[in-house]
Amino acid sequence: MDLNTQPVSEDLQKLLNRVKDQQDTNQLAEVEGFLHDEDLPPGLHTCTWWDGCYYCQDENGNWKSVLCMS
């Protein structure tokens, strides 16, 4: 696993907003479970899964790539 908190492109931002709207649950707890001893960066409150990675949204609505499975 690779903890990666990089901003994503505008196109991916739009896609992740649509994915989030279609999902019934926030996957924040799942992401935190995968991190074990690492802390999730502060300010991230909504997480979703897309194409092998977890992405989390901050309080300003910006998505960041947080955790990718390889």
Side-chain angles (χ1 to χ4, degrees):
M1 286 182 280
D2 178 29
L3 182 61
N4 176 12
T5 57
Q6 298 297 314
V8 300
S9 70
E10 187 174 324
D11 287 339
L12 186 53
Q13 293 268 354
K14 291 176 186 176
L15 176 83
L16 292 170
N17 283 329
R18 287 193 305 268
V19 169
K20 180 186 82 168
D21 291 343
Q22 294 172 356
Q23 290 182 340
D24 293 335
T25 61
N26 179 359
Q27 296 176 312
L28 180 64
E30 192 172 329
V31 172
E32 290 174 330
F34 278 119
L35 294 179
H36 302 291
D37 294 333
E38 297 183 59
D39 290 329
L40 191 63
L44 300 178
H45 61 83
T46 301
C47 297
T48 193
W49 172 261
W50 177 257
D51 198 28
C53 293
Y54 283 101
Y55 297 91
C56 295
Q57 194 175 38
D58 65 20
E59 62 275 354
N60 296 319
N62 298 311
W63 289 95
K64 298 191 185 314
S65 170
V66 174
L67 180 67
C68 292
M69 308 286 186
S70 49

